Amino acid sequence: MAAAAPPVAEQATVSRAAEWPELSAVEGLSSNLRILSTGQIDLAGKLVSCGQAHLFSHWPEPGSNDDDKRRFFAQLARLDTSYPGGLPRYIANARQLLAESRDGVNPFEGFTPAVPSGERIKFGDPSFDELEARGVEEARNSAFVLVAGGLGERLGYSGIKVALPAESTTGRCFLQLYIDSILALQHASNQLKPDEPPRHIPLVIMTSDDTHARTEALLREHGHFGMRADQITLLKQEKVACVSDNDAHLALDPKDPYLVQTKPHGHGDVHMLLHHSGLLPMWRAAGVEWVLFFQDTNGLLFKVVPCSLGVSALRALDVNSLAVPRKAKEAIGGIARLTHTDGRSMVVNVEYNQLDPLLRACGHDDGDANDPHTAFSPFPGNINQLVLRLGPYIEELAKTHGVIGEFVNPKYADSTRTCFKASTRLECMMQDFPKAISPSRSVGFTEADVWLAYSPVKNNLRDAVAKVAAGTPPHSATSAELHLYRANCLILRHLGVHVAGPKAAVIAGQEVEIWPRVVWSPLWAPTLSALRSRFPHPESVRISEDSTLVVEVEGGSGVGWREGEEAEREAEERRTEGEAEGEEERGEREGEGQKGVGQVEVNGLQLEGALWVRAGRGARVVLDGLHVANRGWPIVEVDSEDAGIPEWVRIRGFEIERRECRRMEESQGEHVVRE
């Protein structure tokens, strides 16, 4: 009797394995080929051809750990499909970059750096108002992209960074602050075109495996902070494989031999994700002209967004990098014009650890040094916000498929530069986009004062103290919050309001200035000119040094400012209403909500304590000679090591002690308060 023919699937496997004869000699893999699919065999063949046979050397015979082997290939397939050119291209790129790193190749060989030309905006100048006004016009023609793939573990905060409160007074988290700011610009911009249909500004959030589900949950829990759900798109970036040596052998996870060790590829992936998402041509068809990229924990950012949009429009820039004055050797990149000996020239970000040796190699003996006249580096400090013109952006991505030039930063075990202390991976950065574009593109920068534009949360308390000791900014949760209050107070002083303070203090080892806690919702005053109109008689407003003033208006975002159970209840009500009315009716309702924005006017106020004013959509509140005196909401230091204190408080080293506050909340009608 003839033997039964093998199953069709097994025949296909045997046939495919024959196309990769080298696999039969791979220890651990050859005997397991029959349990693999044809696609898995092809992937194994590509990897072995790239010198990755070690991945399978520990595999036991078929029948043992077969599910783990299939799980391993499922991960390899994800890594292969998520990288342009697949794992073979990734391995080849890694070998080239690792060889250059080992040999000390200078990536800027032949280039000479110079300070580029750009727009330096000065707060309070007439041009500032003009740029803001133009930026507000352009806002309805814009899309925003938030790069938010990180957790706050390095800060001592276990949540996603965008959920971290930007300030303690209202508890408004960074994501809410950003959405409120976008909605405020959307409302102001649409008001300028009353005869045209209102536009809804798109927001893309780039997430990661670590942050995607939690970002979705945060948005869902808070009703998307008042933004229409269809305005927001989440794009998740994949991680990339780690390599263990200069030959780019893929590194197995030390805790799981059926898993390749992976790490984030960097925020440069946002360009590739956008290119493949299909969003960009849709935006262009909808009239979007600008795409603004920003990062996750800079609460001051939107104070200069209108101006940066205005500069892009008025100067016809294809690429506009937002910058601040930087101290020499400060850990932010410098924007420089690089000119090659062959005539090429580009305006790009040069990382801080590359700028100093580049300058020295070009004859600047002091390297990255401060200008003695300004006490700052002559090279503007890049803060990773880009404004790109959509048309040229699409054209450039079509050439590169969104791939951004990579780099590698291995930590070598010794001077031979052959062994690593730990595995490494290739990385790419969002701000390196200008390096690959056509030299005919118009590239510039917009520089704003640090106090107005930049105070991110990057460091934990201990590292922040070390940064200050080294002469660089702390960039901690402490400094970021206090700098937000400082900026608001300085803006009010510019208008003519009498704002006392600051008072000096030491919090968690950091010498700080404590200003009055002044906070307003972006919808109340998205620009300086709008804020000016809210204080028609600024000379009649006095705020003592330990006071708190919160002004909230409802319109573009009716949920976000609330806290706790009340916020959750309103979010659920909004979801229920949206489901009942349908998406179209919901959009109309939210659009109408933005037309009726609450109003608060401060004609006269003497504040010695805490005051919280809120005007609903149909309300107008006028403070006209009001005197408030109470025990207020002072800042008090906390023990940053006390595990009984919430993480988001501990990482600041202080909390707001809510002793006494006068609250004024009106939902409709006009209310003039003179007492």
Side-chain angles (χ1 to χ4, degrees):
M1 184 174 179
V8 174
E10 187 175 331
Q11 292 181 44
T13 296
V14 172
S15 175
R16 185 58 56 87
E19 298 177 17
W20 298 94
E22 61 266 45
L23 298 184
S24 62
V26 176
E27 181 183 357
L29 181 62
S30 57
S31 61
N32 281 281
L33 291 175
R34 63 183 176 83
I35 71 168
L36 303 181
S37 68
T38 56
Q40 291 169 342
I41 290 174
D42 285 341
L43 182 53
K46 290 193 293 184
L47 288 170
V48 169
S49 298
C50 295
Q52 305 297 322
H54 69 286
L55 295 174
F56 313 102
S57 61
H58 62 284
W59 278 23
E61 292 297 309
S64 179
N65 297 343
D66 288 354
D67 287 342
D68 287 329
K69 297 167 189 174
R70 296 186 183 96
R71 175 170 59 88
F72 183 56
F73 266 102
Q75 184 206 24
L76 290 173
R78 289 194 300 272
L79 293 172
D80 186 58
T81 57
S82 64
Y83 189 86
L87 281 170
R89 172 52 55 192
Y90 180 81
I91 293 165
N93 290 346
R95 284 176 179 156
Q96 178 183 343
L97 290 170
L98 286 165
E100 292 174 358
S101 175
R102 178 197 61 209
D103 298 340
V105 173
N106 179 5
F108 297 111
E109 184 69 36
F111 284 101
T112 300
V115 179
S117 60
E119 187 82 19
R120 289 179 167 84
I121 58 176
K122 185 168 180 58
F123 179 79
D125 278 4
S127 61
F128 189 92
D129 281 358
E130 294 169 7
L131 291 170
E132 272 200 331
R134 182 57 187 271
V136 171
E137 288 182 35
E138 298 296 333
R140 69 195 306 267
N141 306 322
S142 303
F144 287 77
V145 180
L146 168 60
V147 177
L151 296 172
E153 292 174 331
R154 191 174 65 172
L155 309 173
Y157 177 68
S158 57
I160 56 176
K161 288 195 285 184
V162 292
L164 187 67
E167 39 83 10
S168 309
T169 301
T170 68
R172 181 185 276 111
C173 71
F174 280 104
L175 183 55
Q176 178 187 343
L177 176 60
Y178 295 148
I179 288 178
D180 282 352
S181 299
I182 292 169
L183 289 173
L185 286 174
Q186 174 180 290
H187 175 73
S189 192
N190 282 332
Q191 290 289 96
L192 297 176
K193 301 285 186 179
D195 297 329
E196 297 183 14
R199 291 184 179 176
H200 298 95
I201 297 175
L203 170 63
V204 167
I205 305 174
M206 187 180 83
T207 61
S208 65
D209 285 335
D210 294 327
T211 66
H212 188 82
R214 286 192 258 189
T215 303
E216 282 186 322
L218 180 65
L219 288 166
R220 187 169 55 250
E221 178 183 354
H222 294 281
H224 298 85
F225 297 108
M227 183 173 272
R228 286 171 39 150
D230 59 4
Q231 285 180 251
I232 303 175
T233 302
L234 269 57
L235 298 178
K236 185 167 75 74
Q237 72 171 148
E238 300 293 337
K239 293 180 179 179
V240 293
C242 294
V243 297
S244 59
D245 53 35
N246 283 331
D247 290 324
H249 287 115
L250 299 186
L252 291 173
D253 191 309
K255 297 180 181 179
D256 186 347
Y258 294 97
L259 198 65
V260 171
Q261 192 174 11
T262 60
K263 291 182 181 179
H265 191 217
H267 44 57
D269 275 353
V270 69
H271 300 296
M272 181 176 63
L273 290 171
L274 283 171
H275 175 67
H276 292 290
S277 70
L279 289 171
L280 301 182
M282 291 170 55
W283 289 351
R284 181 161 58 179
V288 171
E289 187 169 353
W290 309 101
V291 185
L292 195 146
F293 296 80
F294 63 107
Q295 290 191 279
D296 50 17
T297 57
N298 179 16
L300 295 176
L301 175 67
F302 276 84
K303 295 187 184 301
V304 290
V305 162
C307 278
S308 60
L309 274 172
V311 169
S312 289
L314 290 171
R315 304 291 180 262
L317 295 178
D318 297 320
V319 178
N320 181 11
S321 297
L322 187 61
V324 295
R326 67 181 287 274
K327 291 288 187 180
K329 300 178 179 63
E330 183 180 348
I332 60 174
I335 298 174
R337 175 172 289 280
L338 301 182
T339 303
H340 198 270
T341 53
D342 62 11
R344 286 179 291 147
S345 181
M346 55 184 176
V347 177
V348 297
N349 172 72
V350 180
E351 285 303 301
Y352 69 96
N353 58 348
Q354 296 174 319
L355 183 57
D356 185 75
L358 174 61
L359 288 165
R360 293 180 187 277
C362 293
H364 300 273
D365 294 338
D366 293 336
D368 183 17
N370 289 325
D371 184 317
H373 300 293
T374 66
F376 287 99
S377 163
F379 295 92
N382 170 53
I383 63 172
N384 289 349
Q385 179 190 305
L386 294 172
V387 183
L388 305 182
R389 189 186 292 272
L390 179 58
Y393 181 50
I394 291 174
E395 293 168 8
E396 295 294 342
L397 291 184
K399 302 174 187 176
T400 64
H401 302 288
V403 177
I404 299 299
E406 296 167 309
F407 65 95
V408 67
N409 187 26
K411 302 297 187 291
Y412 295 106
D414 53 44
S415 59
T416 65
R417 303 171 77 86
T418 55
C419 298
F420 302 163
K421 292 181 179 179
S423 63
T424 190
R425 86 289 195 184
L426 302 188
E427 300 177 70
C428 60
M429 296 188 293
M430 175 180 71
Q431 63 268 29
D432 282 347
F433 170 75
K435 289 182 178 179
I437 65 175
S438 167
S440 64
R441 301 298 187 192
S442 176
V443 181
F445 68 86
T446 301
E447 184 182 81
D449 293 330
V450 175
W451 70 264
L452 184 67
Y454 188 60
S455 186
V457 183
K458 289 184 174 182
N459 302 309
N460 59 41
L461 292 175
R462 184 178 292 105
D463 290 345
V465 172
K467 292 285 185 182
V468 173
T472 56
H475 290 167
S476 65
T478 313
S479 61
E481 177 167 352
L482 297 181
H483 288 167
L484 181 59
Y485 301 140
R486 177 183 67 181
N488 287 343
C489 288
L490 289 175
I491 292 170
L492 291 186
R493 276 188 181 175
H494 169 77
L495 297 181
V497 174
H498 299 275
V499 181
K503 55 180 188 179
V506 177
I507 295 178
Q510 300 175 71
E511 294 184 1
V512 299
E513 291 180 341
I514 297 181
W515 291 76
R517 274 69 67 202
V518 177
V519 183
W520 59 81
S521 62
L523 190 62
W524 185 57
T527 63
L528 176 60
S529 60
L531 187 66
R532 188 180 292 116
S533 70
R534 311 298 187 247
F535 290 88
H537 304 289
E539 71 282 356
S540 300
V541 180
R542 293 180 175 273
I543 301 173
S544 69
E545 69 174 13
D546 208 22
S547 285
T548 298
L549 174 63
V550 177
V551 180
E552 297 280 358
V553 296
E554 186 177 322
S557 175
V559 177
W561 69 275
R562 298 185 183 273
E563 300 178 9
E565 294 179 0
E566 190 173 9
E568 294 178 15
R569 184 169 60 253
E570 285 208 4
E572 180 59 34
E573 289 174 358
R574 289 171 65 86
R575 286 194 294 271
T576 303
E577 290 172 5
E579 292 168 2
E581 297 172 10
E583 285 301 315
E584 183 175 350
E585 292 177 342
R586 179 172 179 264
E588 292 174 359
R589 173 173 53 81
E590 291 184 349
E592 288 299 317
Q594 290 199 49
K595 295 176 183 176
V597 175
Q599 300 178 51
V600 176
E601 187 175 292
V602 187
N603 283 343
L605 171 66
Q606 185 173 343
L607 180 58
E608 300 170 278
L611 172 64
W612 190 313
V613 183
R614 176 180 180 270
R617 284 184 172 88
R620 180 171 183 265
V621 178
V622 180
L623 307 183
D624 192 4
L626 177 64
H627 181 198
V628 174
N630 55 45
R631 292 184 299 152
W633 286 4
I635 284 178
V636 295
E637 191 170 8
V638 300
D639 181 359
S640 59
E641 302 297 327
D642 185 350
I645 298 173
E647 288 178 339
W648 71 269
V649 176
R650 289 206 308 268
I651 66 173
R652 296 161 203 270
F654 70 84
E655 66 180 352
I656 304 292
E657 190 172 275
R658 289 161 166 76
R659 295 176 181 172
E660 188 177 3
C661 176
R662 176 165 181 180
R663 287 180 178 266
M664 302 173 60
E665 182 173 345
E666 304 295 345
S667 60
Q668 58 184 342
E670 181 162 333
H671 304 267
V672 180
V673 187
R674 294 192 175 92
E675 60 197 76

